[in-house]
Amino acid sequence: MTTTGSTNAASTAAPAPAPAPAATARELGLAHYAARGVLEYVLARHGATFAQQIALRAAINADAPQTPDELVAQVQGSLKADPAGIRAVLDELLAKELLVADGEHLRPTEAGRELFAAVAAETAPISARVWGGIPAEDLAAAGRVLALVTERADAELAALTA
């Protein structure tokens, strides 16, 4: 005797994954602070702060030595922080001998470059785990959204501070 039966494919298939939440200001902020928390933990072990790392990166990545005013402008563009606070960060980097005055310019010292490299080496595998496996098209879409949000927020801040 031959029996025929029907298989209900819907009942045996895995449930569809829940849709991803839409990106909101809160979601973007949480992602930023989660990643920043990792970096700040590593920086603290090296006796450095997030603002110091941003300023040191600006000095290291500059094509030519920067004046204090040029570094303040670069860091302010990244952190949206008060120039007086950024100048205090530059003073901290000078006191720690991570930056040195060279005439009217500031340049990173070997110790500053070593600190920057050590933090980068320590955070690289963490970043690889965090970002790994995200499809390129998702990263491209996120990049477009973040660029637009940054552009609009910069415009709003400029209007507020004009």
Side-chain angles (χ1 to χ4, degrees):
M1 176 172 157
T2 305
T3 59
T4 58
S6 64
T7 304
N8 184 346
S11 66
T12 59
T24 65
R26 181 178 184 278
E27 299 301 323
L28 295 172
L30 289 174
H32 163 77
Y33 283 113
R36 183 171 166 173
V38 170
L39 177 58
E40 287 191 14
Y41 180 84
V42 172
L43 287 166
R45 292 195 332 220
H46 291 275
T49 67
F50 182 73
Q52 290 171 347
Q53 188 260 356
I54 297 298
L56 192 55
R57 176 179 20 193
I60 289 171
N61 290 337
D63 292 332
Q66 304 287 297
T67 66
D69 288 345
E70 290 168 333
L71 279 175
V72 166
Q74 283 186 351
V75 173
Q76 188 177 26
S78 296
L79 296 181
K80 313 302 185 237
D82 177 54
I86 297 168
R87 288 185 188 288
V89 168
L90 296 180
D91 289 343
E92 292 165 2
L93 292 171
L94 287 163
K96 290 182 170 193
E97 298 181 353
L98 299 173
L99 288 179
V100 65
D102 185 8
E104 64 182 33
H105 297 99
L106 297 178
R107 63 177 177 77
T109 63
E110 189 58 35
R113 290 181 186 282
E114 288 173 5
L115 170 65
F116 190 80
V119 169
E122 199 169 329
T123 57
I126 299 168
S127 293
R129 288 191 299 274
V130 169
W131 290 93
I134 299 174
E137 61 272 10
D138 289 351
L139 292 173
R144 289 189 300 273
V145 169
L146 293 173
L148 181 59
V149 168
T150 300
E151 179 183 321
R152 289 177 178 179
D154 282 348
E156 291 294 330
L157 183 59
L160 289 170
T161 59

